[in-house]
């Protein structure tokens, strides 16, 4: 915010202020009744501006002009100033030493917050002792348009300042999308993802994505396709499934839809690879190895059983005919009986007689 004030000795009936900027041109503001000031929105002043005031007092028009210049020696201000927001919560700013700045120059960065309070950089990055950058971990309180001021000090010469008004939305570098997934059917592969986390909520129309799809054969990639997809398409892309079963990878990065400041690429996600065929080969190898291991194991167990049987033979036991389930053959073959009876012509007969005697009388 730039405020222009003047002394009011008489009541004004009309007033108008103007700021002539080298880049933005003419900016006009009306003066309120009996008000002796004008307020302009933030703009860079390091290149110098011209301010004018025109008022009407008692039907007389009075005008004044003020030329605002950047004090200090020409070429001593910080150069190549830039800032970038990353990971939604951090910001790095950098600049270079002025080409005409003395050796003892020291620069300081101030950022104007929402409550119009300027705060100094809490952590500087140095080059040979000179501040050439700043790291901010707390972005709370910063408005959409924030004012940055880099001034300097030196014992040898006056140092000019550098200031800039940055739209934080344009300097934010977005992270890659989250939760990238690929689902394929017979004809297409559907690539889906989620919006990355940003410093402030962004609609789908404010984001765009770039897809890098590569087709791989063996150990080399054949070609790469770069496709830009806008967020309003639903954070998805339908990729025609290739005829071959070659492995494919996809990487995605994010940028603002109006200013393509691309962030980092995501990790590659594979799809359409020859996983079914390779898995069958693995299954065959596992089955063959399992069969060999089982065969060797059974062979070792069988050999061990034979050795144990030789060392400890079974103990004979009495056969139990009552509990034995085997059938007893009670039939006698006639041929066997007749053959045994005809071995000799003589037949011996043994007769046993029993004689009973009466007891003797005494």
């Amino acid at each position: 915010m730039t405020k222009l004030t003047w002394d009011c000795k008489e009541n004004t009936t009309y007033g108008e202020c103007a700021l002539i900027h080298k880049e933005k041109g003419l900016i006009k503001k009306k003066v309120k009744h009996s008000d002796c000031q004008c307020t302009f929105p933030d703009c860079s002043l390091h290149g110098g501006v011209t301010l004018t005031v025109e008022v009407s007092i008692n039907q007389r028009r009075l005008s004044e002009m003020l030329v605002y210049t950047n004090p200090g020696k020409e070429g001593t201000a910080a150069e190549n100033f830039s800032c970038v927001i990353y990971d939604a919560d951090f910001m790095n700013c950098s600049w270079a030493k002025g080409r005409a700045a003395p050796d003892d120059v020291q620069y300081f960065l101030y950022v104007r917050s929402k409550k119009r309070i300027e705060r100094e950089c809490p952590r500087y990055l140095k080059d040979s002792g000179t501040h050439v950058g700043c790291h901010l971990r707390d972005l709370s309180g910063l408005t959409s348009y924030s004012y940055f001021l880099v001034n300097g000090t030196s014992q040898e010469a006056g140092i000019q300042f550098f200031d800039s008004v940055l739209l934080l939305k344009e300097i934010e570098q977005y992270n890659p999308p989250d939760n990238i997934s690929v689902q394929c059917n017979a004809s297409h592969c559907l690539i889906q993802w989620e919006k990355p986390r940003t410093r402030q909520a962004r609609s789908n129309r404010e984001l765009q994505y770039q897809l890098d799809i590569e087709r791989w054969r063996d150990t080399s990639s054949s070609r790469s396709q770069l496709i830009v997809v806008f967020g309003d398409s639903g954070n998805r892309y339908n990729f025609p499934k290739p005829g071959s079963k070659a492995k494919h990878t996809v990487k995605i990065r994010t940028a603002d839809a109006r200013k393509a400041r691309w962030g980092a690429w995501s990790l590659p996600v594979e799809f359409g690879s020859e996983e079914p065929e390779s898995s069958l080969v693995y299954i065959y190898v596992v089955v063959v190895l399992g069969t060999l291991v089982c065969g060797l194991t059974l062979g070792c167990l069988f050999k061990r059983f034979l050795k144990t049987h030789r060392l400890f033979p079974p103990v004979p036991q009495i056969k139990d005919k009552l509990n034995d389930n085997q059938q007893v053959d009670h039939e006698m073959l006639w041929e066997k009986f007749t053959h045994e009876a005809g071995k000799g012509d003589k037949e011996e007969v043994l007769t046993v007689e029993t004689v009973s005697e009466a007891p003797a009388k005494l």
Side-chain angles (χ1 to χ4, degrees):
M1 180 180 65
T2 301
K3 182 183 290 187
L4 175 64
T5 61
W6 60 89
D7 293 334
C8 295
K9 295 182 180 180
E10 300 181 43
N11 292 334
T12 60
T13 58
Y14 170 80
E16 186 180 68
C17 298
L19 184 149
I20 304 173
H21 196 272
K22 291 183 178 180
E23 297 176 357
K24 295 185 177 182
L26 180 63
I27 303 174
K28 290 185 177 183
K29 289 287 183 178
K30 289 185 178 182
V31 179
K32 296 180 180 180
H33 181 67
S34 301
D35 202 354
C36 302
Q37 65 179 13
C38 281
T39 302
F40 298 96
D42 281 330
C43 61
S44 59
L45 304 175
H46 66 272
V49 294
T50 300
L51 300 168
T52 62
V53 179
E54 185 177 346
V55 296
S56 295
I57 302 176
N58 298 327
Q59 297 182 350
R60 291 183 305 162
R61 291 217 169 187
L62 301 176
S63 62
E64 291 288 340
M65 183 177 64
L66 173 67
V67 178
Y68 179 81
T69 59
N70 191 347
K73 183 180 177 181
E74 186 73 22
T76 58
E79 300 178 347
N80 301 327
F81 180 82
S82 64
C83 294
V84 60
I85 297 175
Y86 64 97
D87 289 343
D89 298 321
F90 307 102
M91 180 168 63
N92 282 342
C93 294
S94 63
W95 57 88
K97 182 179 177 181
R99 58 187 180 279
D103 294 335
D104 68 338
V105 66
Q106 188 59 279
Y107 296 105
F108 303 92
L109 172 67
Y110 297 89
V111 183
R112 186 175 294 166
S113 64
K114 184 182 297 184
K115 296 182 178 181
R116 322 303 298 177
I117 299 175
E118 290 183 353
R119 54 176 175 170
E120 186 181 354
C121 170
R123 181 175 298 180
Y124 286 105
L125 305 176
K126 300 180 181 181
D127 181 13
S128 301
T130 304
H131 298 162
V132 293
C134 175
H135 176 68
L136 291 93
R137 295 186 176 180
D138 181 15
L139 305 184
S140 61
L142 296 183
T143 58
S144 298
Y145 286 91
S146 294
Y147 179 77
F148 295 80
L149 171 66
V150 181
N151 59 19
T153 59
S154 172
Q155 297 293 332
E156 298 181 14
I159 307 299
Q160 292 183 327
F161 71 88
F162 175 87
D163 62 342
S164 179
V165 179
L166 299 178
L167 178 59
L168 299 187
K169 181 179 178 179
E170 292 183 351
I171 66 173
E172 183 172 2
Q173 194 171 52
Y174 300 123
N175 289 335
D178 296 325
N179 299 329
I180 301 174
S181 63
V182 183
Q183 297 177 349
C184 297
N185 57 21
S187 59
H188 288 80
C189 288
L190 178 61
I191 304 174
Q192 294 180 297
W193 60 89
E194 295 180 2
K195 289 192 305 182
R197 189 173 69 90
T198 56
R199 179 178 172 269
Q200 293 182 345
R202 297 281 182 262
S203 64
N204 287 331
R205 293 184 179 181
E206 296 179 277
L207 301 176
Q208 61 178 339
Y209 306 95
Q210 194 173 54
L211 281 69
D212 182 3
I213 300 175
E214 291 188 71
R215 179 173 178 265
W216 292 78
R217 264 298 190 193
D218 297 332
T219 58
S220 61
S221 61
S222 57
R223 67 188 182 92
S224 174
Q225 292 185 352
L226 289 177
I227 307 164
V228 177
V229 180
F230 286 91
D232 55 3
S233 63
N235 300 348
R236 61 178 59 192
Y237 177 73
N238 247 331
F239 178 69
K241 188 175 182 180
S244 62
K245 295 183 179 179
K247 181 181 73 174
H248 287 70
T249 59
V250 59
K251 298 183 296 183
I252 308 178
R253 59 181 180 176
T254 317
D256 188 271
R258 288 170 289 187
K259 188 175 181 180
R261 188 185 183 97
W262 294 105
W265 287 103
S266 66
L267 295 176
V269 177
E270 294 185 9
F271 68 97
S273 60
E274 298 179 346
E275 293 181 355
E277 296 180 3
S278 60
S279 61
L280 289 176
V281 173
Y282 294 149
I283 291 175
Y284 294 151
V285 172
V286 171
V287 170
V288 172
L289 291 177
T291 304
L292 291 176
V293 170
C294 292
L296 293 174
T297 304
L298 292 175
C300 293
L301 292 175
F302 184 71
K303 289 182 178 180
R304 188 169 182 179
F305 174 76
L306 290 179
K307 290 181 179 179
T308 305
H309 186 73
R310 291 175 182 174
L311 292 174
F312 304 99
V315 179
Q317 297 180 358
I318 300 175
K319 186 174 182 181
D320 189 0
K321 291 185 177 181
L322 295 177
N323 297 324
D324 195 356
N325 293 328
Q326 296 182 357
Q327 295 181 356
V328 181
D329 191 5
H330 298 285
E331 296 181 357
M332 181 178 294
L333 296 179
W334 179 255
E335 290 81 4
K336 183 178 179 179
F337 175 76
T338 54
H339 178 72
E340 292 292 329
K343 283 185 180 180
D345 296 334
K346 295 182 179 181
E347 183 176 342
E348 297 180 357
V349 179
L350 178 62
T351 303
V352 179
E353 293 183 358
T354 304
V355 180
S356 315
E357 292 183 0
K361 295 182 179 180
L362 296 178

